[in-house]
Amino acid sequence: MIASSIRGGWQTTLADLAMILFMVTAAAMAERPEPDADAAASAATPTEAPSPAPALPASGEPIAIYRAAPGAPPIGQWLAEQPRDPRQNLTIIARHRPGGGDRAAAAALALAQEARRAGRSARIVVEPGPAEELAAVLDFDGRQPN
């Protein structure tokens, strides 16, 4: 008979194994490869769900994310619902497929003008991406807001 001096027994071992499985799964999900551009472009549709959070060009952590989508409230209303802090920055991110840069820039500028009417200035980032996306991010990234 093997005597164990550790209390908890099989429950502790099972909890440890569950935590290890969770960490391995999370690491594998973070490292999964991106789909090739041709497959992503052909599979993307306007009704495709956007990614959970846009990759940010800033170094700060987002505190709130707005997505311009059908049925979404106007950005002015969304901004009014957010806690106000003078250290916050608003970044508008417009992603576009090849050839859609002008349309994405115009949409981002229109969203920035709405934000300006709500009393917030914004920086605009327009970049190519696998799908069209327009989002605004409130963050604290160390920049000095205007």
Side-chain angles (χ1 to χ4, degrees), residues 119-142:
R120 301 278 183 115
S121 62
R123 77 173 172 178
I124 298 174
V125 177
V126 180
E127 60 188 12
E132 301 211 358
E133 181 179 17
L134 183 61
V137 179
L138 273 176
D139 63 21
F140 293 103
D141 70 356

Side-chain angles (χ1 to χ4, degrees), residues 43-146:
T45 63
T47 59
E48 180 178 288
S51 60
L56 302 177
S59 60
E61 289 293 321
I63 55 174
I65 299 173
Y66 172 84
R67 292 203 188 275
I75 193 168
Q77 178 183 341
W78 177 78
L79 286 168
E81 294 170 358
Q82 304 307 314
R84 191 98 179 177
D85 188 314
R87 299 170 296 161
Q88 290 175 350
N89 297 294
L90 180 64
T91 302
I92 296 174
I93 303 166
R95 293 203 173 86
H96 62 86
R97 292 189 183 128
D102 291 341
R103 189 173 58 246
L109 186 57
L111 200 62
Q113 289 170 342
E114 285 183 52
R116 170 78 66 196
R117 285 191 292 274
R120 301 278 183 115
S121 62
R123 77 173 172 178
I124 298 174
V125 177
V126 180
E127 60 188 12
E132 301 211 358
E133 181 179 17
L134 183 61
V137 179
L138 273 176
D139 63 21
F140 293 103
D141 70 356
R143 291 182 295 127
Q144 294 299 319
N146 297 341

Side-chain angles (χ1 to χ4, degrees), residues 11-25:
Q11 296 94 342
T12 302
T13 303
L14 185 61
D16 288 344
L17 290 173
M19 183 61 82
I20 291 168
L21 178 62
F22 171 75
M23 292 180 352
V24 168
T25 303

